[in-house]
């Protein structure tokens, strides 16, 4: 609150309660006085805005490293974070995929209040999978996917969060990282069984953080947070390394009425960007990820298929994830 506003509130309070006649009722009131300075209200996450940020990414086409769509989308994300007042870091590097492919990659990082030692790290991957290898029809396995949910949704939610942070100083440091080359992991059809073939961008960042000795209190990964039928179970590794934060997030979500998405039960453990952030930087991380107990692969049925399109994305899901994260930032 602006100091002048606070002053006016105090002044108005005095005029109403301290001065004048006929105030006996108020004087007798047993209601305790409201604190004049309350904590900053959590801004309203605009789900339509987030949805728009998701659609804009999908419009480029599949964001597979070494393609023009990937390059153009990366430029777009840099421009958007810049527009939303973040201090930008772009880590440009060539990463090597499971099959020896050299991937021209960019981790795109926006920092708010960069001087504040108390920080929260928010992240998502922005690349999309080159293979629809969860399709039952094997002839489709080499077709890249739209990645509306798997990639664009997390980034879209974080862009809306960046837009809100730019308008409402949270009084804490926030870093938003869009990791590249998360989804170029070894497909089942390759059968090389190499370790650590997923999450190449976050693996690089964990070894080469954008600022020396980078620290954050904890991190939140948003992965597949836009599907209309999304369910977020408490992810196993998140429970192992960041259980108090998981509980805090899931409790807030329930209190805010998002219990339909945030399920009060532990789900599977998944290799995702959060495990490398934990391993490399020792930052406890929570993965908010659409997993399912009923699907064929543990994720949604659209996962790594040509059906991961905008048709399945709904603002209500983005809202549940995004508003909950904003609540973690502003009402901590
Ligand atoms: C694996 O498939 C090994 N992990 C899931 C991480 C992921 C891929 N998230 C989105 N796409
Ligand atoms: Zn994926």
């Amino acid at each position: 609150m602006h100091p002048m506003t606070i002053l006016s509130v105090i002044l108005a309070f005095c005029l109403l309660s301290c001065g004048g006649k006929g105030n006996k009722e108020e004087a007798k009131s047993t209601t305790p006085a409201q604190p004049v300075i309350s904590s900053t209200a959590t801004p309203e996450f605009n789900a339509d805005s987030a949805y728009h940020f998701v659609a804009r990414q999908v419009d480029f086409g599949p964001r597979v490293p070494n393609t023009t769509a990937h390059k153009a989308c990366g430029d777009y994300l840099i421009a958007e974070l810049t527009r939303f007042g973040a201090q930008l870091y772009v880590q440009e590097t060539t990463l090597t995929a499971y099959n020896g492919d050299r991937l021209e990659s960019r981790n795109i990082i926006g920092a708010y209040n960069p001087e504040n030692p108390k920080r929260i790290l928010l992240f998502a991957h922005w690349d999309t999978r080159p293979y629809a290898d969860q399709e039952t029809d094997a002839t489709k396995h080499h077709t890249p996917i739209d990645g509306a949910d798997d990639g664009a949704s997390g980034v879209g939610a974080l862009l809306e969060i960046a837009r809100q942070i730019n308008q409402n100083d949270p009084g804490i440091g926030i870093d938003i990282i869009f990791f590249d080359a998360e989804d170029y992991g070894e497909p089942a059809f390759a059968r090389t069984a190499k370790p650590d073939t997923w999450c190449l961008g976050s693996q690089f960042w964990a070894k080469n953080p954008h600022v020396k000795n980078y620290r954050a209190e904890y991190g939140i990964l948003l992965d597949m947070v836009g599907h209309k039928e999304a369910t977020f179970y408490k992810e196993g590794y998140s429970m192992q390394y960041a259980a108090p934060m998981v509980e805090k997030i899931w409790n807030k979500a329930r209190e805010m009425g998002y219990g339909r998405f945030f399920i009060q039960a532990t789900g599977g453990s998944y290799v995702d960007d959060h495990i490398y952030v934990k391993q490399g930087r020792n930052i406890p991380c929570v993965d908010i990820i659409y997993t399912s107990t009923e699907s064929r692969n543990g994720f949604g049925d659209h996962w790594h298929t040509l059906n991961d399109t905008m048709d399945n994305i709904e603002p209500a899901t983005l809202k549940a994830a995004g508003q909950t994260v904003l609540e973690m930032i502003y009402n901590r």
Side-chain angles (χ1 to χ4, degrees):
M1 208 183 270
H2 190 277
M4 280 309 289
T5 317
I6 296 164
L7 207 65
S8 325
V9 171
I10 296 169
L11 201 66
F13 187 77
C14 287
L15 285 172
L16 284 168
S17 61
C18 318
K21 49 195 164 52
N23 277 327
K24 287 192 184 92
E25 256 119 63
E26 268 153 350
K28 267 188 280 179
S29 167
T30 53
T31 314
Q34 289 295 312
V36 174
I37 302 163
S38 62
S39 63
T40 321
T42 305
E44 196 61 34
F45 180 93
N46 185 325
D48 294 331
S49 167
Y51 182 91
H52 164 82
F53 294 136
V54 178
R56 281 290 301 271
Q57 293 171 78
V58 173
D59 281 345
F60 286 105
R63 281 81 66 213
V64 175
N66 302 342
T67 65
T68 54
H70 179 262
K71 172 79 172 67
C73 184
D75 293 347
Y76 162 73
L77 298 177
I78 291 166
E80 291 298 74
L81 280 180
T82 304
R83 180 160 77 95
F84 300 141
Q87 178 174 317
L88 247 82
Y89 301 81
V90 179
Q91 292 189 317
E92 220 169 324
T93 186
T94 306
L95 300 168
T96 306
Y98 72 95
N99 59 356
D101 283 357
R102 307 276 288 160
L103 311 178
E104 297 306 324
S105 306
R106 283 186 288 182
N107 288 332
I108 298 165
I109 303 160
Y112 291 93
N113 297 329
E115 71 299 328
N116 195 323
K118 205 173 145 72
R119 316 196 64 74
I120 301 173
L121 171 60
L122 310 175
F123 52 111
H125 76 89
W126 71 273
D127 64 305
T128 53
R129 186 147 181 78
Y131 314 115
D133 56 338
Q134 289 291 319
E135 285 286 349
T136 43
D137 178 357
T139 65
K140 294 175 177 167
H141 284 186
H142 287 270
T143 308
I145 66 168
D146 270 4
D149 197 25
D150 192 356
S153 68
V155 170
L158 290 181
L159 281 176
E160 172 58 13
I161 286 169
R163 195 175 74 85
Q164 293 300 334
I165 291 172
N166 190 38
Q167 292 170 20
N168 313 268
D169 182 1
I172 187 175
I174 303 287
D175 301 292
I176 294 177
I177 306 188
F178 299 147
F179 286 122
D180 205 349
E182 187 273 345
D183 234 345
Y184 216 98
E186 188 195 319
F189 59 72
R191 301 175 193 283
T192 71
K194 284 205 182 74
D196 300 316
T197 67
W198 302 84
C199 310
L200 302 180
S202 57
Q203 290 191 55
F204 176 85
W205 177 86
K207 294 191 187 91
N208 311 277
H210 62 289
V211 293
K212 218 173 133 227
N213 300 321
Y214 178 80
R215 278 298 306 159
E217 296 218 329
Y218 69 94
I220 303 177
L221 165 56
L222 298 181
D223 192 2
M224 302 190 274
V225 293
H227 196 283
K228 58 190 176 198
E229 289 156 8
T231 44
F232 308 130
Y233 285 84
K234 300 172 182 177
E235 189 272 333
Y237 293 123
S238 310
M239 285 300 281
Q240 201 171 321
Y241 299 115
M245 301 325 289
V246 171
E247 298 304 345
K248 198 167 170 182
I249 292 169
W250 262 251
N251 286 338
K252 279 192 186 295
R254 177 176 48 197
E255 283 163 20
M256 290 159 56
Y258 304 130
R260 157 191 156 208
F261 299 102
F262 286 79
I263 310 298
Q264 300 286 346
T266 301
S269 303
Y270 299 100
V271 170
D272 208 344
D273 289 319
H274 67 317
I275 69 158
Y276 295 100
V277 173
K278 161 68 192 166
Q279 280 175 18
R281 310 308 317 163
N282 201 28
I283 297 166
C285 293
V286 180
D287 191 1
I288 301 178
I289 181 169
Y290 174 15
T291 61
S292 165
T293 49
E294 274 121 67
S295 78
R296 16 180 214 123
N297 49 41
F299 301 103
D301 284 327
H302 66 312
W303 184 66
H304 293 180
T305 73
L306 301 176
N307 196 32
D308 184 0
T309 60
M310 278 314 286
D311 297 343
N312 292 315
I313 302 298
E314 266 183 15
T317 312
L318 295 165
K319 173 78 175 177
Q323 192 67 60
T324 303
V325 172
L326 277 182
E327 191 67 10
M328 290 294 290
I329 295 171
Y330 289 87
N331 188 13
R332 49 183 194 275

